[in-house]
């Protein structure tokens, strides 16, 4: 099925460890996004990529880096995980302009940092 | 800048009765507005969207929402609640009718509880 695929679905890290969350979309969308979801906070934008080759900070970028590897893939890296990064992470994609019909979200990665 | 306020963190209704989830927004531009639903341990699913066409928007599963510019509101309604409607609902704003590359702004969510 067409959509946004995230891996892994679950991950437990120790404080200080690093990891990369992977995201791929097969809808030929130009824009991709990483959000984190915390209880009572809604979703907050970490980083986004308006198009291949560009990335920009969102609301909560500290402690994260991203790579737009190609048009399909947008990865999120935690260089040194902290307990405050325990969250559910969602990747999303969209087109903008006349083709804008909202965002398509992946199913999420549940990350626990101990 | 834009913001979204969901006026109720929890709403509880009986099965078969109407649902009203309230959302107010602020935006410097002509916004796009959305409602997303999230069932437990699932991703987010688009319920409906407003993008400067008809102000009354119909979505999936019998939900609809009305864009009221004078009241800066975009409340979500359903005539008759079903047990499967129990979920978290997010009101979301994008600053432009054609979307924005800098992402969406989410409300904090309303937890809808359906009593049997």
């Amino acid at each position: 099925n067409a959509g946004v695929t995230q891996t892994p679905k679950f991950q437990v890290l120790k404080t200080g460890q690093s990891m990369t969350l992977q995201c791929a979309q097969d809808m030929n969308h130009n824009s991709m996004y990483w959000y984190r979801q915390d209880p009572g906070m809604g979703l907050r934008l970490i980083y986004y990529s308006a198009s291949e080759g560009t990335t920009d900070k969102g609301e909560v970028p500290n402690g994260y880096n991203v790579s737009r590897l190609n048009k399909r893939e947008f990865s999120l890296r935690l260089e040194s995980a902290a307990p405050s990064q325990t969250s559910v992470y969602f990747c999303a994609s969209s087109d903008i302009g006349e083709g804008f019909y909202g965002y398509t979200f992946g199913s999420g990665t549940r990350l626990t940092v101990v | 800048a834009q913001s979204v306020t969901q006026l109720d963190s929890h709403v509880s209704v009986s099965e078969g009765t109407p649902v009203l989830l309230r959302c107010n927004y602020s935006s410097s531009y002509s916004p796009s507005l959305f409602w997303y639903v999230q069932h437990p341990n699932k991703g987010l699913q688009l319920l409906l969207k407003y993008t400067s066409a008809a102000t009354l928007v119909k979505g999936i599963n019998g939900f609809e929402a009305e864009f009221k510019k004078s009241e800066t509101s975009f409340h979500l309604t359903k005539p008759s609640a079903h047990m499967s409607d129990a979920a978290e609902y997010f009101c979301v704003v994008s600053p432009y009718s054609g979307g924005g590359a800098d992402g969406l702004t989410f409300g904090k969510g309303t937890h809808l509880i359906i009593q049997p």
Side-chain angles (χ1 to χ4, degrees):
Chain A
N1 290 339
V4 178
T5 302
Q6 290 183 236
T7 56
K9 293 189 183 301
F10 302 94
Q11 184 70 50
V12 178
L13 290 179
K14 295 182 179 179
T15 297
Q17 285 185 318
S18 63
M19 79 161 294
T20 300
L21 281 63
Q22 306 287 352
C23 175
Q25 53 93 7
D26 58 7
M27 296 169 287
N28 203 36
H29 285 164
N30 286 307
S31 301
M32 297 186 72
Y33 313 82
W34 277 104
Y35 286 88
R36 61 177 289 172
Q37 183 180 28
D38 302 294
M41 301 289 290
L43 274 73
R44 293 180 292 169
L45 183 64
I46 304 172
Y47 270 92
Y48 66 97
S49 170
S51 60
E52 185 179 354
T54 68
T55 61
D56 285 286
K57 296 179 180 179
E59 180 184 355
V60 288
N62 291 344
Y64 305 95
N65 286 301
V66 290
S67 295
R68 183 75 182 267
L69 304 171
N70 47 56
K71 191 171 185 179
R72 289 187 65 247
E73 298 173 285
F74 188 40
S75 62
L76 178 71
R77 183 162 178 83
L78 287 70
E79 292 289 353
S80 178
S84 61
Q85 294 177 305
T86 293
S87 188
V88 181
Y89 291 85
F90 287 99
C91 179
S93 71
S94 77
D95 262 334
I96 61 173
E98 290 189 14
F100 186 58
Y101 291 98
Y103 287 34
T104 301
F105 285 87
S107 57
T109 296
R110 190 173 296 272
L111 175 67
T112 302
V113 183
V114 298
Chain B
Q2 66 257 15
S3 66
V4 178
T5 302
Q6 291 184 242
L7 298 170
D8 306 291
S9 60
H10 293 79
V11 169
S12 181
V13 302
S14 298
E15 189 175 20
T17 65
V19 174
L20 170 64
L21 305 183
R22 298 182 295 165
C23 172
N24 287 348
Y25 72 92
S26 68
S27 178
S28 301
Y29 304 96
S30 297
S32 296
L33 292 159
F34 306 85
W35 278 97
Y36 280 86
V37 60
Q38 185 181 32
H39 289 92
N41 299 313
K42 300 290 187 183
L44 285 85
Q45 180 184 18
L46 180 65
L47 269 182
L48 50 80
K49 63 187 184 294
Y50 166 78
T51 54
S52 76
T55 57
L56 182 62
V57 181
K58 294 187 183 299
I60 62 172
N61 300 334
F63 284 95
E64 63 181 37
E66 186 172 8
F67 174 70
K68 292 186 176 180
K69 187 174 182 178
S70 61
E71 299 176 10
T72 61
S73 69
F74 190 57
H75 301 333
L76 181 70
T77 60
K78 183 173 180 177
S80 176
H82 190 273
M83 294 300 292
S84 61
D85 295 328
E88 192 82 12
Y89 291 79
F90 293 97
C91 183
V92 183
V93 63
S94 175
Y96 314 107
S97 62
D102 56 350
L104 305 172
T105 299
F106 283 75
K108 293 186 177 182
T110 298
H111 187 61
L112 178 61
I113 300 163
I114 310 297
Q115 306 281 1

